[in-house]
Amino acid sequence: MYIIVAGGGKVGHYLTRALIDAGHEVLLLEKDRSRADYLSEDLGEVVTWGDACEVSTMKEVGMERADVVVAVTGDDEDNLVICQMAKRKFHVPRTIARVNNPKNEDIFEMLGIDATVSSTKIIFNLIEQQIETDEVIPLAPLQRGNIEIVEVDLGPKSPVVGKRINQVALPQDALIISIVRDGHAILPNIDVVFKEGDSVIALVNADQEAQLRAIFAESH
């Protein structure tokens, strides 16, 4: 797989190293000459000095045959331009952009970028999890974070302990996909009764996570 990484900051540097170690063909574009020279000392010939926002540079590095373009510069506007050009002019199958300002994620999605990564949002979500709850743990985001897989550990004071699944009114867009009990996964059906110590794995719309938490979490 041919992967072009645009931006030779720390993220681009270590991402390129990881991709090389995984056996991929990688090219790292860095527009700062001294930084490119520094990166070349560690990564070798995969580093190219050039501005990834320039069409001429994109042509020189063979962007038309790239399978993936990853834009991880420190500038959201540059990352958007790089991914849009890769997608529209060079028909790259998959584009991934680093988004520094989480408010820009919707714009990236609207303009057709395949995937975005916001470290700001990830850290914020981790802080929110720690502050808001010890019982509901988001495991993974789906559909750009609109749907989450969450794990709910049922303590002795959980209001659902002792109730059957069909006796618990879940949020409209939530679905229980498994219950882990004594180390074994149980496929849910209407006769399953929640027990203390159960770990409930559920799909839920991100906007309804707080509602799900209120249903399962212990009353304090």
Side-chain angles (χ1 to χ4, degrees):
M1 182 178 293
Y2 180 37
I3 302 170
I4 294 176
V5 178
K10 289 185 178 179
V11 175
H13 182 180
Y14 294 118
L15 175 62
T16 300
R17 168 53 65 195
L19 291 170
I20 292 172
D21 292 344
H24 295 290
E25 179 186 3
V26 188
L27 184 138
L28 171 60
L29 270 171
E30 168 55 43
K31 67 179 179 181
D32 182 88
R33 185 59 179 266
S34 61
R35 178 68 181 172
D37 291 341
Y38 168 79
L39 293 168
S40 295
E41 294 178 4
D42 178 46
L43 300 172
E45 296 180 351
V46 303
V47 180
T48 295
W49 169 52
D51 188 347
C53 294
E54 297 289 338
V55 174
S56 58
T57 303
M58 294 179 176
K59 289 181 178 178
E60 289 174 5
V61 300
M63 189 163 286
E64 72 280 357
R65 71 177 185 86
D67 300 292
V68 181
V69 168
V70 187
V72 291
T73 77
D75 189 302
D76 285 358
E77 291 182 358
D78 283 356
N79 292 339
L80 180 59
V81 168
I82 294 164
C83 287
Q84 277 203 295
M85 290 294 291
K87 199 78 180 175
R88 296 185 178 184
K89 187 172 181 61
F90 296 95
H91 309 293
V92 175
R94 185 164 177 77
T95 54
I96 302 171
R98 173 187 179 186
V99 179
N100 300 287
N101 185 348
K103 292 182 179 178
N104 290 335
E105 280 193 303
D106 290 342
I107 297 173
F108 277 62
E109 180 181 1
M110 184 173 61
L111 294 178
I113 309 308
D114 296 305
T116 59
V117 178
S118 171
S119 56
T120 306
K121 186 174 182 179
I122 291 170
I123 294 170
F124 175 81
N125 288 341
L126 288 171
I127 294 171
E128 287 290 289
Q129 291 165 23
Q130 186 64 39
I131 291 174
E132 291 186 0
T133 178
D134 291 330
E135 292 89 2
V136 179
I137 304 171
L139 299 177
L142 302 174
Q143 295 291 319
R144 293 178 179 270
N146 293 329
I147 298 176
E148 292 183 341
I149 302 174
V150 301
E151 177 182 351
V152 189
D153 293 329
L154 302 185
K157 296 181 181 178
S158 171
V160 304
V161 169
K163 292 183 178 179
R164 292 197 302 271
I165 287 179
N166 64 346
Q167 293 177 312
V168 177
L170 297 174
Q172 182 178 0
D173 294 325
L175 175 68
I176 295 173
I177 55 178
S178 182
I179 298 170
V180 180
R181 179 175 296 164
D182 300 326
H184 300 284
I186 300 172
L187 293 177
N189 61 61
I190 59 174
D191 295 323
V192 172
V193 177
F194 291 114
K195 294 184 177 180
E196 177 187 345
D198 283 351
S199 293
V200 180
I201 311 298
L203 286 173
V204 63
N205 187 302
D207 296 335
Q208 296 178 331
E209 186 186 311
Q211 189 178 346
L212 187 75
R213 180 186 308 121
I215 293 170
F216 284 93
E218 294 186 2
S219 56
H220 296 287

